[in-house]
Every structure is written in C-alpha cells, then in structure tokens.
Amino acid sequence: MGKIKQGILGGFRGKVGTVIGSSWNGISYMRGQAQSVRNANTPAQQAQRAFFKQVQELTSQLSDEQLAMLFPSVTRGMTRRNMLTRQLSACHDYASDVKTFNLSLLEGIGNGERIDTPMLTLTATSIGSPANPVTGIVIDQTVVASINKPASACFSVVAYNLTQKKITVFNTSFSDSNANLTVETGSFATDGDNIRCYLTYQYQRRGGFGTLSIANRPERDKEKKKKS
C-alpha cells in the first residue's frame, strides 16, 4: 500500500488504487498500473535490449569522480550517468536492419569546455622491459604540442578500447608539451587492442580543485545568475 506523506499534492511511493507513485533523481512522479504486459521477445526487441545492455555496461565502467570531471554541469532531471548514457546511445549502427552498438562512432563525451584536440587511433603495445612487461599507448609529441594548455596543466587521456568495448579516463602527472606522452593502460588493454582516444588536460583552480576542459562551456547555473 502506498502512503502519501505531504498531503494530496505531495509525492508518494507505492500503489494507491491503480496509481503507482515513485521518485527518480529527486523528482516525484505517478503512473497508471499497466492493464496487461506484452513481451513478444521478437528478434528486434532482443537486439534493442542487447544494444542498451552494452551502453549500460560502458557507463558503469566510469567512476563518479570521472563522471564529475567529464560533466562539470548537470542537466536538471538527469544524473551524470544518464547524460553519458544519452551520448553513448547515439553511437548506433545498423547491420541487416538490426540496431547495433558501434563505439568507434563516439567522438567525444562530456559537457565541459571544448579544446582543439584530434581523435587518435592507436594500438596498445608493450612499453616495458622483458623483466617488467607493461602494456600502454604512446601519443606522438606533435599531437601533444598541438594541445593549447596552461604550461603547468597535466594531460589526461579519454580512451575507448574498441577491441574489448571499454571506456576510461587516464589522468597523468605529465605536463611537458615537448615530448611523447606514454600512458600505461593496465588491465584496460592488452597488446594489440585498438584504442581510440583524445587528449585533454586537468589544471588547478582556487582551492586546488581539478577539472577537465573537453566539450562545450556549460552555462552558469540559474541560481548563480540571480545572485550575481
């Protein structure tokens, strides 16, 4: 049985008659109870479910901290993971009229400040020694130098593993624009994996807060506009 805690105009959880109340992301809503449920489980439905399963598996690979770096501002009514899901869902292709997920179509994620950075296609390879084998990627100095960043800012790499269908952000302590950037990939990749990636950077602001510059400059919050 549902219980209304704030009077007839308030939100509630549970079932009241044929109405079901719930809350998502701090927003209360009501929906009618379904009269019947039809699940034909057709090939098209199976393909659609498989598509969104791949999207959800990717979104779960990023931590809340990484999401906060990639999405400095949040759209009202959505979480950062919801926003990433929407961006990833645009990476679809069709094979024999069946919708499939294609990570290679993803050009960038997030909604921070955009910087001029090319999308790279690299191959994960051994960058260690025989005694200490390490897998990683190497970004050429010409690309590193093309990123217009503050001198003290450290590079970050947003990477997509096309072979294993993984996604992550590598934050480095490397700030030299006059040398190759070598990134150890750890368990993210093995030798021979195809990696698409792009460079961005993190820099210190007042209070030591680190952020990323990667997409469009977010609009100021409405409340901040009122106060200013």
Side-chain angles (χ1 to χ4, degrees):
M1 181 181 71
K3 184 176 181 181
I4 303 176
K5 296 183 179 181
Q6 301 173 358
I8 193 169
L9 298 179
F12 69 96
R13 291 178 177 273
K15 179 181 176 184
V16 179
T18 60
V19 178
I20 298 174
S22 188
S23 175
W24 176 82
N25 200 26
I27 301 174
S28 298
Y29 68 92
M30 295 181 293
R31 61 181 175 85
Q33 182 180 6
Q35 298 300 309
S36 63
V37 178
R38 180 181 179 184
N39 185 1
N41 202 28
T42 64
Q45 288 175 321
Q46 293 176 25
Q48 185 75 350
R49 290 167 186 158
F51 173 83
F52 280 109
K53 181 180 179 180
Q54 292 181 65
V55 172
Q56 293 303 320
E57 287 174 348
L58 278 174
T59 60
S60 66
Q61 293 172 11
L62 293 179
S63 67
D64 290 340
E65 181 182 6
Q66 289 173 322
L67 288 171
M69 295 167 70
L70 293 169
F71 294 90
S73 62
V74 181
T75 301
R76 180 173 174 78
M78 298 187 72
T79 66
R80 289 182 171 90
R81 212 168 293 278
N82 295 147
M83 295 168 70
L84 176 60
T85 298
R86 183 170 63 179
Q87 290 185 350
L88 293 178
S89 297
C91 301
H92 59 264
D93 207 346
Y94 290 89
S96 301
D97 294 329
V98 176
K99 189 176 183 180
T100 60
F101 183 78
N102 188 348
L103 185 56
S104 66
L105 298 177
L106 184 62
E107 291 298 326
I109 56 177
N111 65 353
E113 232 175 282
R114 179 166 297 282
I115 62 174
D116 186 15
T117 180
M119 180 65 76
L120 308 173
T121 301
L122 305 173
T123 301
T125 187
S126 177
I127 58 174
S129 63
N132 182 31
V134 176
T135 299
I137 55 175
V138 179
I139 299 176
D140 189 82
Q141 185 271 332
T142 56
V143 176
V144 173
S146 70
I147 307 302
N148 184 21
K149 70 172 185 64
S152 61
C154 295
F155 287 103
S156 291
V157 182
V158 182
Y160 319 140
N161 186 327
L162 303 184
T163 304
Q164 299 190 41
K165 292 187 178 178
K166 293 181 179 180
I167 187 169
T168 195
V169 179
F170 294 107
N171 293 322
T172 77
S173 58
F174 188 83
S175 61
D176 187 0
S177 296
N178 299 307
N180 292 345
L181 171 59
T182 300
V183 180
E184 294 185 10
T185 55
S187 60
F188 175 76
T190 57
D191 286 7
D193 284 354
N194 293 320
I195 309 294
R196 292 186 81 228
C197 63
Y198 64 93
L199 277 179
T200 180
Y201 57 85
Q202 50 187 321
Y203 58 96
Q204 297 297 316
R205 288 186 173 179
R206 185 177 302 174
F209 177 74
T211 186
L212 283 176
S213 301
I214 51 172
N216 295 321
R217 183 184 296 276
E219 294 183 2
R220 294 180 62 190
D221 187 90
K222 292 182 179 179
E223 290 299 321
K224 292 182 179 180
K225 289 182 179 179
K226 291 180 182 179
K227 294 179 181 179
S228 61

